[in-house]
């Protein structure tokens, strides 16, 4: 096919990745034009306090001029606020942890932006994502991990449909980041040395609690530290541990808490085989839907504190204090449970501990957050999660599991998390993901994404 007759709209952000994507497409002979989208107006929300998008637009326009392609501007801020930011506020208000970048790709870049590009005659939309796309003979699109193991960005595209992928191009997916920089320098692109963007997609780097306070009210509440003794009496925790033990193979030994491993880089599958599950497939199959649902439940903390009156000082002044509770202790105050997420370490303001303190649960109704000390705290670790039927999304519908089926995949629940071996169990009541090893900081609202080898097959909201 004559590439000069294929019209491609590049989402030019002003960054080096999309710039090189546009440059390569032009070099390959496509009919390329660039479009810069503005999705955010409020400079007061960012840490820099200035209009970053104006600088980005200026750089993007210079890049387009350097490459020699038409440049257009589109304002999608209304759609972005309605379909991404409002969703984000609503999720945090419920005590959930959304991923706005995933929503931005599904709702804006490959929907609202795509529609505008098509009005300009575009056959495809191209972005600077580090991922690869293959098209099978029957037209089915496969989305594969990027070649650069430190920059794979398939996670952010985990909600795209076959229709959206059919219109997408990812020109730098098979190139590593240093090579992208080299190409930009050799082509003398104005964005060659521009730093990578950080923070919320199209909003920029923000202080999240400050950003959320635009709509979510601050209400002071208690920070409760949960001690190990709590788990000896919690019925759900002990039931889950008993079930997990019962699923084990005869010679398998199960680690019950997460080993500390900083998520400093992405570890792509790189063709590695799945690990061997410590659980017996037949025993997993025998679990009822109710048992799987209970196994996937997070621990709900209910620690009550009684007060007592005592006399203090030489004047024996009457004072009130909380009685000691072996299960926990109130160790501080916070400004609103909705501003915290499970696994969070920074911003707690809690001292006097020899190991780091992490958020292990939030309760927006009671306006409490629960914390635990140490990387191996029981409250940080879970083995199983559930995706509700309406939240299951298969990028490859032809490979979707049917009720009663199970399959081994590799899964991640955060962008920079190394892929984890797991068993996916499809039931009428939802999709259950049973990991081979405990997972740290599983939060409702996050996206769980599963891969077969280097191909991303689907995702779902936890």
């Amino acid at each position: 096919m004559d590439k000069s007759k294929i019209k491609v709209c590049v989402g030019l952000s002003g960054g080096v990745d999309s710039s090189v994507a546009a440059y390569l497409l032009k070099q390959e002979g496509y009919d390329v034009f660039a479009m810069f989208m503005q999705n955010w107006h409020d400079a007061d929300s960012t840490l820099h306090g200035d209009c970053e998008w104006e600088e980005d637009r200026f750089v993007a326009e210079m890049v387009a001029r350097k490459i020699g392609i038409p440049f257009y501007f589109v304002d999608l801020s209304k759609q972005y606020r309605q379909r991404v930011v409002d969703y984000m506020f609503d999720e945090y208000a419920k005590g959930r942890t959304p991923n706005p970048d995933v929503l931005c790709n599904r709702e804006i870049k490959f929907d609202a932006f795509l529609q505008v590009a098509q009005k300009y005659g575009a056959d495809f939309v191209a972005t600077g994502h580090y991922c690869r796309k293959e098209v099978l003979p029957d037209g089915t699109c496969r989305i594969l991990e990027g070649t650069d193991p430190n920059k794979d960005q398939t996670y952010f595209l985990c909600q795209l449909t076959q229709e959206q992928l059919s219109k997408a191009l990812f020109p730098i997916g098979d190139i590593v980041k240093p090579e992208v920089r080299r190409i930009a320098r050799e082509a003398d692109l104005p964005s060659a040395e521009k730093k990578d963007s950080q923070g919320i997609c199209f909003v920029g780097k923000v202080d999240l609690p400050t950003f959320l306070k635009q709509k979510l009210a601050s209400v002071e509440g208690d920070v409760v530290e949960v001690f190990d003794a709590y788990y000896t009496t919690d019925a759900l925790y002990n039931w889950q541990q008993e079930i997990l033990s019962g699923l084990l193979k005869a010679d398998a030994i199960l680690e019950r808490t997460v080993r500390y491993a900083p998520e400093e880089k992405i570890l792509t599958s790189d063709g590695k085989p799945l690990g061997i599950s410590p659980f017996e497939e037949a025993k997993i199959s025998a679990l009822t839907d109710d048992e799987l649902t209970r196994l996937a439940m997070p621990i709900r903390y209910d620690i009550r504190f009684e007060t007592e009156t005592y006399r203090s000082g030489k004047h024996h002044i009457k004072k009130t204090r909380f009685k000691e509770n072996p299960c926990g202790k109130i160790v501080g105050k916070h400004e609103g449970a909705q501003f915290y997420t499970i696994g969070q370490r920074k911003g707690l303001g809690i001292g006097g501990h020899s190991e780091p303190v992490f958020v292990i649960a939030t309760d927006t109704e009671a306006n409490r957050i629960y914390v635990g000390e140490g990387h191996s705290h029981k409250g940080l670790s879970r083995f199983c999660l559930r995706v509700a039927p309406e939240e299951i999304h298969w990028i490859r519908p032809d490979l979707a599991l049917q009720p009663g089926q199970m399959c081994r995949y590799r899964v991640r629940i955060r962008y920079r998390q190394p892929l984890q071996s797991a068993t996916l169990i499809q039931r009428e009541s939802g999709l259950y993901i049973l990991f081979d090893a405990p997972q740290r900081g599983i939060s409702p609202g996050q996206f769980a994404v599963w891969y077969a080898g280097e191909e991303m097959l689907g995702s779902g909201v936890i």
Side-chain angles (χ1 to χ4, degrees):
M1 184 181 289
D2 185 357
K3 289 183 178 179
S4 66
K5 295 181 179 180
I6 302 174
K7 198 165 188 176
V8 181
C9 172
V10 179
L12 204 58
S13 66
V16 67
D17 297 330
S18 61
S19 299
V20 171
Y23 173 77
L24 292 175
L25 289 169
K26 177 70 173 177
Q27 293 296 106
E28 290 177 30
Y30 288 97
D31 180 6
V32 183
F33 70 94
M35 191 156 64
F36 178 93
M37 57 178 152
Q38 180 188 0
N39 287 351
W40 194 250
H41 288 281
D42 189 2
D44 294 335
S45 301
T46 66
L47 293 179
H48 301 291
D50 55 16
C51 296
E52 290 182 64
W53 72 267
E54 290 182 347
E55 180 189 341
D56 291 338
R57 177 183 176 176
F58 177 69
V59 174
E61 198 162 2
M62 287 197 300
V63 169
R65 192 178 302 122
K66 179 71 179 179
I67 297 172
I69 58 176
F71 178 86
Y72 301 97
F73 171 84
V74 60
D75 187 342
L76 296 176
S77 54
K78 181 179 179 181
Q79 294 94 319
Y80 185 80
R81 180 175 284 279
Q82 290 174 344
R83 295 161 71 173
V84 178
V85 177
D86 286 351
Y87 166 85
M88 182 177 158
F89 279 124
D90 185 57
E91 286 287 277
Y92 272 106
K94 295 173 182 174
R96 293 161 61 86
T97 305
N99 190 308
D101 292 336
V102 173
L103 267 294
C104 180
N105 285 310
R106 186 185 76 186
E107 301 291 332
I108 305 299
K109 289 179 185 173
F110 294 96
D111 191 331
F113 181 83
L114 172 61
Q115 290 176 30
V116 176
Q118 288 176 324
K119 289 179 181 178
Y120 283 91
D123 299 300
F124 293 94
V125 162
T127 66
H129 284 98
Y130 286 85
C131 65
R132 294 171 293 145
K133 170 188 162 184
E134 288 184 359
V135 182
L136 299 177
D138 65 357
T140 298
C141 296
R142 301 176 74 216
I143 185 163
L144 311 174
E145 294 171 320
T147 299
D148 190 331
N150 292 315
K151 289 294 291 181
D152 171 57
Q153 293 176 315
T154 48
Y155 182 89
F156 295 128
L157 304 172
C158 69
Q159 286 279 294
L160 297 192
T161 64
Q162 281 291 312
E163 184 179 0
Q164 289 173 314
L165 282 171
S166 72
K167 303 295 183 182
L169 294 177
F170 307 107
I172 65 169
D174 58 354
I175 308 174
V176 296
K177 183 75 178 196
E179 178 69 5
V180 168
R181 290 281 185 193
R182 186 194 65 78
I183 293 171
R185 292 189 194 101
E186 287 190 358
D188 196 26
L189 299 182
S191 58
E193 304 302 331
K194 197 169 185 291
K195 291 182 179 180
D196 293 343
S197 61
Q198 293 183 319
I200 300 171
C201 183
F202 290 108
V203 175
K205 198 165 179 63
V206 300
D207 176 69
L208 189 57
T210 302
F211 182 74
L212 294 175
K213 284 174 186 175
Q214 294 178 83
K215 281 196 173 183
L216 306 181
S218 297
V219 181
E220 189 177 78
D222 292 329
V223 178
V224 177
E225 181 177 355
V226 180
F227 300 147
D228 200 58
Y230 180 84
Y231 300 95
T232 63
T233 59
D234 186 81
L236 177 59
Y237 178 82
N238 285 288
W239 180 87
Q240 289 176 344
Q241 298 305 310
E242 184 179 344
I243 289 292
L244 289 169
S245 296
L247 296 176
L248 287 176
K249 294 174 180 175
D251 57 347
I253 298 174
L254 201 63
E255 289 192 34
R256 303 286 174 163
T257 58
V258 178
R259 283 188 180 183
Y260 177 58
E263 291 167 12
E264 293 175 350
K265 63 180 180 179
I266 299 170
L267 298 180
T268 61
S269 59
D270 196 25
K272 294 177 183 175
L274 278 165
I276 299 173
S277 174
F279 305 114
E280 281 193 22
E281 186 176 317
K283 292 180 178 178
I284 298 173
S285 295
L287 291 172
T288 66
D289 286 21
D290 286 344
E291 287 173 326
L292 279 166
T293 299
R294 198 174 179 206
L295 186 61
M297 284 181 179
I299 302 300
R300 301 295 183 190
Y301 296 94
D302 183 20
I303 303 176
R304 302 176 188 275
F305 297 97
E306 298 178 357
T307 58
E308 62 183 0
T309 302
Y310 68 103
R311 295 185 179 275
S312 176
K314 65 180 181 180
H315 296 295
H316 302 291
I317 297 172
K318 271 190 175 184
K319 293 186 176 181
T320 302
R321 65 186 174 195
F322 288 109
K323 292 181 180 179
E324 284 194 15
N325 188 322
C327 292
K329 180 181 181 180
I330 297 175
V331 292
K333 296 290 182 180
H334 63 78
E335 294 184 342
Q338 67 270 28
F339 301 135
Y340 298 84
T341 187
I342 296 169
Q344 181 176 334
R345 173 180 174 180
K346 296 180 179 179
L348 298 178
I350 299 170
H353 293 76
S354 57
E355 293 189 68
V357 174
F358 300 91
V359 175
I360 60 171
T362 63
D363 185 339
T364 53
E365 289 187 10
N367 195 31
R368 265 188 178 184
I369 67 170
Y370 296 91
V371 300
E373 180 182 6
H375 294 286
S376 61
H377 192 279
K378 290 183 174 66
L380 274 178
S381 300
R382 284 172 60 192
F383 276 88
C384 189
L385 61 85
R386 172 180 175 267
V387 178
E390 65 274 12
E391 297 287 6
I392 302 167
H393 173 70
W394 285 91
I395 298 165
R396 291 285 305 275
D398 56 315
L399 299 180
L401 295 179
Q402 301 304 312
Q405 291 184 324
M406 295 192 307
C407 196
R408 297 277 291 160
Y409 292 122
R410 304 188 85 196
V411 182
R412 62 167 51 105
I413 57 172
R414 286 180 292 277
Y415 165 49
R416 298 199 70 83
Q417 183 192 29
L419 286 164
Q420 308 288 304
S421 296
T423 302
L424 270 65
I425 310 137
Q426 182 67 61
R427 297 289 179 88
E428 294 286 355
S429 55
L431 179 67
Y432 300 87
I433 302 177
L434 179 61
F435 292 95
D436 293 0
Q439 298 300 300
R440 175 194 187 90
I442 294 176
S443 299
Q446 288 176 315
F447 287 92
V449 183
W450 47 94
Y451 298 73
E454 59 184 0
E455 181 180 4
M456 179 170 64
L457 296 185
S459 66
V461 182
I462 301 170

